[in-house]
Amino acid sequence: MAERSTAAVDVADSGGEEPLTAEAGKATADGAGTEQMAGKDTAAASVDEKGAAADASPLELHSGHKLARRYRLEECVTRLDGFSSWRAVDEKLRRAVGVHVLPADHPRARPVLAAARSAALLGDPRFVQVLDAVEENDLVYVVHEWLPDATELTAVLAAGPLEPHDAYQLVSQVSQAMAAAHREGLAHLRLNPGSVLRTESGQYRIRGLAVMAALRGISTERPQRTDTEAIGALLYAALTQRWPYEKDAHGLSGLPKGVGLIAPDQVRAGVHRGLSELAMRALVNDGATASRQDQPCTTPEELAKAVAAMPRIRPPEPAFTPSSAYQRTTYQQGVYGQPPTRGGQPRPGAGPATPVPPPPPLQSRTGKALKWTVSALLIAALGLGSWQLADTLLKEENKSSPSKSTSEKDDGKSGKVVSKPIAIQGAEEFAPDGKPQHADQAKLTHDGDASTLWRTAGYDAGPVLAPFKKGVGIIYDLGSERTLKGASVGLHYGGSYTEVSLYATDSLTPSASGSDPVSSFKKLASGRNKDKAVDLSLTSAVKARYVLVWLTALPYSPPEQYYTHPYKQAITEVKFTG
């Protein structure tokens, strides 16, 4: 499991706990809220474990400590009930990871190991992946992904409730993911805004599947009902920015005491009616029902089907903000030339008291002559343009040039050949060593949006990647064998220099062997540049369908908050011409 390559997670799962300066054993609002949803058997299990967990020997770990001579602990983000969670660095794969550590004699050590190994087998990309689960040197530790480009739902909701389309995506993605997990016999039991992450692309990912419940000693006789109600609470919070219980939790205010569970559209104006009813169906508890008296959703599978049956909610139209240079005049506002009232005061909203007089109309003899002249010139220009267009069309029709390729056009003046863009049909990351950078982002390099990108890992030395890696890159499918003349590779970072090469391959996922993974491919072109783009031209046109964009040198750029290694690069858009 240690070799499984993934992208990385936001913050190690603190489970909504208080900061480390707080008393470690103190119960939090998050914990209380979770137990309330999980049921009485959950609370009982937590109480039974607390005493045993307190007796476990404390961990004497510190920043810089290494586990398995590989995972270097960087920062402790949670310390509670005898276990701790850390942000760490996998020195073998040179990437950030999260690590949960607890003593091997901890009463929950065995359940945590079993839960982690079961979650690792799921392999669903909608969950933060478990990378390793090991018992070693009287310690048990679980290593998971660390996603620096993702944001906790807690932080998202702190800025305000979600738009209906975003709330719909949240409940749809989370319910489908949990339905898939329960089909494999896995439950979460601590599903809350702190365990749901939203990536920059708008996808939601769930962390702590099975593992967080095992760490806290949480169990229940109705795991599907518990998770379904938790998803309903997430949707309720997304619609109202309120927690659907009386106690405050996750930075959200609870409902007023004594009121009970009321529908989201009664808490806040403008809430989508269908989503409000869906939240109530998932949150059915102690007799509370949806306003339409629909049957409650008791499993994530039922909730996912109810979401799918809803009419599609479209994303909001992008708001148009006019340029500051554009100023509306009184004439454009519709108040130009309005007469004042009898008292000599201007009409309400009529603009300035002394309106600017309009330009004089062309009513004089000179003005009329000017108008006729302009009209005659326009008619003559239109006639001349039409004649030239017809003449050009006739000439093109009489021409016969069978030797010219249909993919080339002559501009008629200089004799230069104009290249045409080639549409990209698909893309796959090429990782011959079995350790991809961010395989799920390859499609973002040909989506027509320069703000989306595929990012490489960061490295401490450079610009040349060797000997750490021979190179990193993406293979593009042009749909069929096309005549290729060049390529343009848009980059995110400038800096020292980026070196890029083009190779023709035999498939979208070719096999590579030997010390040089591209030795069996046909090299088409190469180049380097310090700017944020590399343009490559082939010395002669080549027919190819699959083309590899191969990066062998990455520029230096200052370390960033989540990208601490200085040598890195990201591809924004790739375009091929033929």
Side-chain angles (χ1 to χ4, degrees):
M1 288 186 290
E3 297 298 326
R4 294 175 62 183
S5 177
T6 57
V9 171
D10 175 40
V11 281
D13 182 16
S14 61
E17 303 301 336
E18 295 180 354
L20 296 177
T21 53
E23 188 175 353
K26 183 177 179 182
T28 62
D30 169 44
T34 306
E35 290 175 4
Q36 178 183 356
M37 289 189 295
K40 295 180 180 180
D41 46 348
T42 300
S46 300
V47 171
D48 292 341
E49 293 284 359
K50 283 185 178 179
D55 295 336
S57 57
L59 301 180
E60 296 181 0
L61 300 176
H62 54 81
S63 297
H65 187 94
K66 285 188 181 180
L67 300 174
R69 298 181 181 179
R70 175 176 178 176
Y71 304 111
R72 185 179 73 248
L73 304 182
E74 294 285 323
E75 179 187 6
C76 183
V77 294
T78 302
R79 195 185 301 274
L80 185 71
D81 287 348
F83 73 89
S84 57
S85 299
W86 296 76
R87 176 177 61 83
V89 174
D90 182 350
E91 294 186 335
K92 183 176 181 181
L93 297 181
R94 303 177 69 179
R95 64 180 178 184
V97 294
V99 182
H100 302 303
V101 188
L102 67 165
D105 59 353
H106 194 288
R108 300 175 195 155
R110 298 298 171 191
V112 167
L113 274 177
R117 289 166 179 169
S118 298
L121 294 175
L122 181 60
D124 192 316
R126 293 171 293 192
F127 294 93
V128 173
Q129 297 296 297
V130 173
L131 307 176
D132 212 347
V134 180
E135 180 179 0
E136 181 183 67
N137 297 333
D138 298 328
L139 291 178
V140 167
Y141 54 90
V142 176
V143 183
H144 61 83
E145 285 183 286
W146 184 274
L147 300 178
D149 63 339
T151 306
E152 276 190 10
L153 186 60
T154 305
V156 175
L157 295 181
L162 301 185
E163 293 289 336
H165 177 262
D166 292 335
Y168 174 83
Q169 290 296 324
L170 168 67
V171 68
S172 176
Q173 295 180 33
V174 173
S175 61
Q176 290 178 21
M178 289 309 305
H182 279 282
R183 283 195 292 270
E184 300 298 326
L186 295 172
H188 197 293
L189 306 186
R190 276 190 62 84
L191 201 55
N192 55 54
S195 58
V196 176
L197 307 171
R198 186 168 73 175
T199 65
E200 291 179 347
S201 61
Q203 301 298 311
Y204 291 93
R205 298 188 65 180
I206 303 169
R207 64 182 174 190
L209 177 67
V211 174
M212 289 312 301
L215 282 169
R216 308 302 179 94
I218 296 174
S219 62
T220 178
E221 294 180 355
R222 302 184 303 163
Q224 295 206 54
R225 187 67 192 91
T226 298
D227 283 342
T228 306
E229 193 169 338
I231 300 172
L234 292 175
L235 176 58
Y236 195 104
L239 296 173
T240 65
Q241 204 183 11
R242 300 286 292 266
W243 194 237
Y245 302 97
E246 291 185 355
K247 292 184 179 180
D248 300 345
H250 314 293
L252 302 173
S253 300
L255 298 178
K257 294 183 178 180
V259 175
L261 184 62
I262 53 179
D265 55 2
Q266 297 177 13
V267 175
R268 175 176 164 267
V271 171
H272 189 277
R273 180 69 180 274
L275 292 175
S276 174
E277 294 175 350
L278 195 65
M280 293 298 288
R281 291 178 64 184
L283 277 171
V284 168
N285 195 6
D286 297 335
T289 58
S291 57
R292 294 196 315 175
Q293 302 297 320
D294 286 330
Q295 289 296 318
C297 298
T298 58
T299 67
E301 187 79 38
E302 293 178 359
L303 183 56
K305 291 180 179 179
V307 175
M310 287 182 59
R312 181 173 177 267
I313 300 177
R314 296 183 177 275
E317 294 292 336
F320 172 73
T321 304
S323 171
S324 59
Y326 174 77
Q327 299 293 335
R328 292 171 61 90
T329 64
T330 54
Y331 183 77
Q332 291 167 322
Q333 291 170 351
V335 298
Y336 172 77
Q338 290 184 356
T341 59
R342 285 187 181 180
Q345 298 298 323
R347 296 166 63 94
T354 306
V356 179
L362 299 175
Q363 297 298 332
S364 63
R365 182 178 299 176
T366 304
K368 290 181 179 179
L370 181 60
K371 288 193 292 183
W372 281 109
T373 302
V374 172
S375 300
L377 289 174
L378 288 174
I379 293 172
L382 289 172
L384 180 61
S386 301
W387 177 80
Q388 288 180 335
L389 177 61
D391 185 61
T392 302
L393 292 175
L394 287 174
K395 288 181 179 179
E396 290 294 330
E397 194 174 301
N398 293 330
K399 283 184 180 180
S400 59
S401 53
S403 61
K404 181 177 290 187
S405 171
T406 57
S407 63
E408 301 176 357
K409 291 186 180 179
D410 197 312
D411 64 2
K413 295 181 180 179
S414 62
K416 294 181 179 179
V417 175
V418 179
S419 298
K420 294 181 62 177
I422 299 176
I424 298 173
Q425 304 300 322
E428 291 288 342
E429 182 175 326
F430 180 58
D433 58 355
K435 303 171 184 176
Q437 309 289 293
H438 293 89
D440 59 331
Q441 298 176 359
K443 60 185 177 183
L444 303 180
T445 61
H446 64 94
D447 60 354
D449 185 358
S451 64
T452 59
L453 48 83
W454 166 84
R455 184 182 295 276
T456 72
Y459 300 91
D460 291 324
V464 179
L465 280 171
F468 304 112
K469 274 183 177 289
K470 294 296 182 180
V472 294
I474 300 174
I475 297 178
Y476 295 90
D477 181 6
L478 306 184
S480 61
E481 195 171 75
R482 306 293 297 271
T483 301
L484 186 66
K485 295 181 178 179
S488 175
V489 182
L491 304 172
H492 184 65
Y493 297 104
S496 47
Y497 69 90
T498 302
E499 190 166 31
V500 184
S501 298
L502 292 184
Y503 291 88
T505 69
D506 57 358
S507 70
L508 198 57
T509 55
S511 59
S513 60
S515 59
D516 186 359
V518 297
S519 59
S520 61
F521 305 153
K522 181 179 180 181
K523 189 171 185 178
L524 306 179
S526 64
R528 64 168 62 179
N529 203 343
K530 296 182 179 181
D531 300 328
K532 294 185 178 181
V534 176
D535 295 324
L536 303 171
S537 298
L538 277 66
T539 55
S540 60
V542 174
K543 287 186 175 294
R545 173 176 179 177
Y546 303 101
V547 182
L548 167 63
V549 175
W550 190 239
L551 278 63
T552 53
L554 309 181
Y556 173 87
S557 59
E560 303 169 48
Q561 180 179 1
Y562 299 116
Y563 310 104
T564 57
H565 301 289
Y567 290 93
K568 54 189 177 293
Q569 187 55 276
I571 296 178
T572 56
E573 283 293 310
V574 172
K575 298 178 182 179
F576 296 101
T577 54

